[in-house]
Structures are given as structure tokens and as C-alpha cells.
Amino acid sequence: MYGKAFAPEYQGALTTLSVNASLTDVLAAGTEQLRAAERSGEHGEAARSGLAVAEAHRRLGQIGDADRAWKASYRAAREADDRGAMAWALWSGGTLARQRGAFPLARRLLQLAADLGERGGDIVVRGYSLAGLAETGRIQGDYAAVHRLHEQLLAEARRRGEARHTVWALEGIAQIHRNTGSYDTAYALFEEAAEIAARAEDRRGHAWALRGLADVVSVRDGDVERALALLSEAETTCRAMKLSSALAYNHKMRGNVLYRAGRYTEARAMYEQALSEFRAMSEPRGEALSRLGLAKSRAQLGRDRAETAAELAELADVLERIGLRHAREMVGRAQREFGVAEGVEAVGAR
């Protein structure tokens, strides 16, 4: 059985904040508590309230503010000689690095966080940091290396009855299955994640699970209207909680669903919207994926073949440089689809 979801990153005086609290409310409460702790010289409390501030900024797409906040939280934790708080700050910094596409830095910070959490006896931050390492590998497409870690973390979360972490692990494993073509398994895992998240009142996890279900329903079943309805339900949550990144990925997925349905003009508009949102929050992975969808939509709508070739070649270079192997393979498929890869004959549009 799973209890109600909670947010372990909301600590100290902020433990009463709900996992579903609006990020603007979290930021306001965290900033107020942080200032009070700094005035009174309470380094430990400053570290823990600063963590909530850093995470709110990160999830709102305010990258520069998030970077300053996690580093300030780490310094305050070090002053307080609080290993647990130091580990949480490093986890926040590593998560931000992954969001920015700095994968080597993300792995370094998350490994430091996991090690420090283990030495400090904080099993939760250790688990979250290992989860961050697993997610980093999954996002880069290194499925063989991280599938077992996802399964290990899922087992630990189930054993402790941690709904939020169980949902995260299920969604990660589901995404690996989806990306490797095991659609039925992916659907079942996303469905289980959605059910657990709903019972535990984890609205963020539920929104991500609905997005995953929409993807599978679209690619496996071709059920456009159901996929769009699932995305609309998830979007309501994203807007209510001010989940900027999740909302942008929701819009990008809506573009995918419309593209698969041959509704290229609508898909182009959604990809343009998502691209603008990702650029506003400096999220290179989302930006590159939106650019890919936009390039494909424009090609289907009659864009000059040479322009399509040039953009896809540039995207291939960008993704190679970032280290996103799965996304790089997607560009390769698009190049073959439109017959613009060197030495490849046109195969026509799907």
C-alpha cells in the first residue's frame, strides 16, 4: 500500500508544503523563510529553505536563479556541517545540470550527492540522487546501462511504500520500453503509474503518466482523439501547478500526436509553441526535439528540400554534441524519411 505523496525537497519549516503546491507559492514561502533564516544566522534552515527556492526556480524554468540558489544552499549546509543538506543541494544542482543539457556535470554532482547522502545516513537523498543518475542515462539513450538501476530503485520505493518515487521509476522504465518498441509493456507501466499517482494525490506524477499514455495510444493505436484528451487533462494540472517544463513537453507531445495523424499545419503550430517555451527556459533537449518536429512538419508542408537537409544536419550535430543518442537516432530516421541523408535515396513520407 502507498501513502499520500510527499515532497522531501520541502524541508525544515517548509515540510508542511504539499507536493501539489503551486511553484509560485513554493517560491514565495521558501524565499520568505530563507530570508528569515539568513537574518537569524541559522545556516541549516537557510540551506533547507534555499533548496525549495532552487527547485521552484528550476521547475519554473528560471535557470540563472536556480543555479545561484542551489549553490547558496550548499554553502549554507557546509557552514552548518549538515551532510544531508549538502547532499540535497548537490542533487538540485545535478538535476539542473541535466535540464540544461550538461550531462557530465549532472552525473558528477548526482554521484557526489548519492555518496554524501549514504555517508550522512539520508537514504531518501541517496535514492533521489541515484534516480537522477538513472534518468540522466535514460535521457541520453543508454538504456542497457540504466534499466537495472531503474528496476532496483522501483523495488526500493515499493518496499518503503513511497508513492512518488514508485511513480517516477515506473514512468522511467515505461519510457525505455516505449522507445525500444515494447508498446504494450510501456502502456501497462504508464497506466500503473497513473493509478498510483492518482491514489497518492501526486498530481505532477499523474500528469507525466498521462503524457506517456497519450504517446503510446497515439503511436500504437492511432487513437488521436483519446491521446489529445489525455494531454488536455495533463495540461490542466501543469497550468495549475505552474509546471513550465512539463507543460512545454506536453505541447511538444501534442505536436507529435498531430504529426502522426497527418495534421501537419496543427503540428507545426504546436512545435512552434513548444520551441518558444523551451527557449525561454534554456532547455536544450526540449528545444532540439521541438526543432526536429518543426522541421519535419515544414517538410511535409512543402518546405524546400535543401533547407530541410541543412536543418536536420545541424540538429544532428547539436544532439551529437549534447550527447543525446536516442534523439540523434530520431534525426537519422527523419533524414532517411525525407531522403536528405548523404547517400540515401528518398523513401517518401509516412
Side-chain angles (χ1 to χ4, degrees):
M1 293 296 293
Y2 298 96
K4 186 176 179 180
F6 69 100
E9 67 269 33
Y10 302 156
Q11 302 175 6
L14 302 173
T15 53
T16 56
L17 285 174
S18 165
V19 67
N20 298 317
S22 163
L23 292 176
T24 51
D25 291 342
V26 172
L27 182 58
T31 300
E32 180 180 358
Q33 185 59 33
L34 173 60
R35 289 172 178 165
E38 289 175 338
R39 285 195 299 270
S40 60
E42 299 177 24
H43 297 300
E45 183 59 34
R48 296 184 180 278
S49 55
L51 172 66
V53 170
E55 282 301 286
H57 279 307
R58 181 183 67 79
R59 291 165 177 163
L60 286 166
Q62 298 161 356
I63 302 303
D65 291 327
D67 191 51
R68 287 186 288 273
W70 84 259
K71 290 175 180 175
S73 174
Y74 180 82
R75 289 193 297 270
R78 191 172 55 192
E79 285 289 330
D81 195 25
D82 186 332
R83 285 185 176 180
M86 290 166 67
W88 276 109
L90 289 169
W91 165 79
S92 181
T95 306
L96 176 65
R98 182 179 66 240
Q99 184 172 319
R100 299 170 71 175
F103 296 110
L105 176 60
R107 286 193 294 272
R108 186 161 64 251
L109 292 174
L110 289 166
Q111 188 62 64
L112 286 170
D115 293 344
L116 197 55
E118 186 166 8
R119 293 203 303 272
D122 190 328
I123 61 171
V124 178
V125 72
R126 171 193 167 274
Y128 269 62
S129 301
L130 290 176
L133 287 167
E135 187 162 350
T136 301
R138 177 175 57 76
I139 286 172
Q140 290 191 274
D142 195 3
Y143 303 139
V146 299
H147 196 159
R148 182 175 296 180
L149 181 53
H150 273 81
E151 294 282 3
Q152 173 193 328
L153 293 167
L154 173 60
E156 290 181 8
R158 287 193 192 278
R159 188 167 58 250
R160 292 197 295 267
E162 293 178 2
R164 189 181 178 209
H165 223 197
T166 299
V167 167
W168 166 84
L170 284 168
E171 291 172 352
I173 296 167
Q175 193 64 51
I176 291 173
H177 282 292
R178 182 264 178 263
N179 289 350
T180 53
S182 300
Y183 299 130
D184 291 346
T185 302
Y187 185 91
L189 291 168
F190 278 128
E191 189 173 47
E192 183 183 356
E195 290 171 355
I196 293 173
R199 290 199 302 269
E201 299 178 32
D202 175 8
R203 296 183 67 197
R204 180 185 294 113
H206 190 250
W208 280 107
L210 292 179
R211 176 185 174 275
L213 286 171
D215 186 23
V216 178
V217 164
S218 166
V219 74
R220 184 190 67 178
D221 306 332
D223 192 338
V224 180
E225 296 312 313
R226 185 179 173 218
L228 293 177
L230 288 165
L231 290 170
S232 293
E233 183 181 350
E235 180 168 351
T236 299
T237 295
C238 294
R239 291 191 181 281
M241 294 179 64
K242 311 296 184 187
L243 302 175
S244 303
S245 180
L247 182 60
Y249 276 104
N250 182 293
H251 290 155
K252 197 273 297 179
M253 181 57 67
R254 187 176 288 268
N256 291 358
V257 170
L258 292 167
Y259 181 90
R260 291 169 191 149
R263 293 159 60 172
Y264 302 123
T265 301
E266 295 172 83
R268 178 179 61 186
M270 290 312 307
Y271 287 131
E272 287 173 342
Q273 181 176 344
L275 178 58
S276 175
E277 291 166 338
F278 284 123
R279 281 178 170 164
M281 65 183 75
S282 301
E283 189 160 339
R285 174 173 170 257
E287 181 179 339
L289 291 172
S290 298
R291 282 185 62 194
L292 174 58
L294 186 55
K296 291 171 63 177
S297 299
R298 287 171 171 167
Q300 295 285 10
L301 292 168
R303 187 187 191 188
D304 181 78
R305 188 167 177 271
E307 292 179 1
T308 298
E311 180 155 17
L312 291 177
E314 181 190 349
L315 269 173
D317 288 343
V318 167
L319 291 167
E320 192 73 35
R321 186 167 62 251
I322 294 174
L324 291 168
R325 288 185 287 277
H326 177 69
R328 173 63 183 85
E329 292 168 4
M330 292 169 63
V331 174
R333 289 197 295 272
Q335 289 173 318
R336 293 188 293 274
E337 176 181 352
F338 295 106
V340 296
E342 184 176 347
V344 176
E345 296 299 322
V347 296
R350 283 195 297 262

